[in-house]
Amino acid sequence: MIRVLLADDQMLVRAGFTALLNAQHDIEVAGEASDGEEAVRVVGEVRPDVVLMDIRMPVLDGLTATRRICEDERLHDVKVVMLTTFELDEYVFEAIRSGASGFLVKDTEPEELLRAVRAVVEGDALLSPGVTRRLIAEFAARSKVPAHFEGLGQLTEREREVMALVGIGLSNEEIARRLVVSPLTAKTHVSRTMVKLGARDRAQLVVMAYESGLVRPGWLG
């Protein structure tokens, strides 16, 4: 059973999501929060698998709450999905850098929300297909001097290649076609790369690809 925590200051939004999620055989709502501070506290208490976190909330905003959750080693397995009103919310980029596994617009289709919850539990990044390339381009534009990642030296040549392809927004299937391997092989390479670098998920791997300089600004494959 996938346990979800809902953090949103609008009661009707929480009620709608609760009804949808609890109707699924493999998902249950483990808790709710109406502001970021409450979200951090409740996450520590119930240890959900996924947090659906609104970016704009009173007391403590969703971005700061996400950073606190993702920096807490005890909550390493908790995945955070940001909820935003607009696809290119100015805080989305910083949210991903802070450790969020992805984001969804609030008016997303129910099926997409359910797919998202299940996807992040599997370790996949949830970057809406319609904005993934723009999100990555924004990361590239905002990238500072490449940081030193000792973990890059642990990667094989193929793993570095795969990481770069993840960095420009390719899915496992697209990586498989690019490298002429099976999707399962591509997924294995991605998983091994995340383990070696200590990446929480695919979204963090994208951030590392840019911040390490492995992928250069403007290179969108």
Side-chain angles (χ1 to χ4, degrees):
M1 185 67 73
I2 300 173
R3 303 173 70 249
V4 178
L5 184 139
L6 301 174
D8 195 295
D9 61 333
Q10 297 182 48
M11 185 172 62
L12 287 179
V13 172
R14 298 199 309 273
F17 281 2
T18 296
L20 173 64
L21 295 171
N22 280 339
Q24 309 307 306
H25 72 281
D26 59 338
I27 303 175
E28 67 175 2
V29 175
E32 296 184 20
S34 59
D35 61 65
E37 188 172 280
E38 184 180 17
V40 174
R41 177 178 59 78
V42 178
V43 167
E45 293 173 352
V46 305
R47 303 293 178 89
D49 299 299
V50 180
V51 180
L52 294 180
M53 180 84 74
D54 187 23
I55 286 183
R56 294 180 173 85
M57 289 188 292
V59 185
L60 188 70
D61 63 87
L63 181 60
T64 303
T66 295
R67 185 180 299 112
R68 290 187 184 179
I69 291 170
C70 294
E71 289 178 348
D72 190 333
E73 287 298 323
R74 298 170 300 173
L75 305 176
H76 181 75
D77 294 329
V78 177
K79 308 297 184 183
V80 179
V81 174
M82 307 302 299
L83 299 174
T84 178
T85 305
F86 304 104
E87 285 189 328
L88 286 180
D89 189 294
E90 62 180 305
Y91 296 114
V92 164
F93 312 107
E94 190 59 36
I96 299 298
R97 182 174 279 114
S98 298
S101 295
F103 67 95
L104 283 173
V105 289
K106 284 189 175 182
D107 62 353
T108 189
E109 293 294 325
E111 294 77 11
E112 177 67 11
L113 174 65
L114 297 174
R115 188 194 71 78
V117 169
R118 295 178 176 116
V120 295
V121 169
E122 294 298 320
D124 291 333
L126 184 71
L127 302 177
S128 177
V131 299
T132 298
R133 287 301 180 95
R134 281 177 288 169
L135 175 66
I136 289 172
E138 183 68 19
F139 263 127
R142 296 186 182 198
S143 290
K144 301 180 178 64
V145 176
H148 177 63
F149 282 82
E150 293 184 1
L152 287 181
Q154 303 176 36
L155 303 182
T156 64
E157 183 177 346
R158 176 47 60 91
E159 287 167 348
R160 289 169 67 93
E161 186 176 13
V162 167
M163 180 178 176
L165 294 176
V166 170
I168 63 172
L170 299 192
S171 66
N172 288 343
E173 290 71 21
E174 291 170 328
I175 291 173
R177 289 195 293 271
R178 180 75 67 93
L179 301 180
V180 194
V181 297
S182 71
L184 179 59
T185 297
K187 182 177 181 179
T188 298
H189 283 311
V190 172
S191 297
R192 287 177 178 170
T193 301
M194 289 194 296
V195 169
K196 288 184 178 181
L197 295 179
R200 293 172 63 96
D201 51 36
R202 199 182 188 97
Q204 192 172 25
L205 197 61
V206 171
V207 176
M208 288 180 172
Y210 277 102
E211 295 190 335
S212 67
L214 185 63
V215 176
R216 298 182 301 278
W219 178 36
L220 295 179

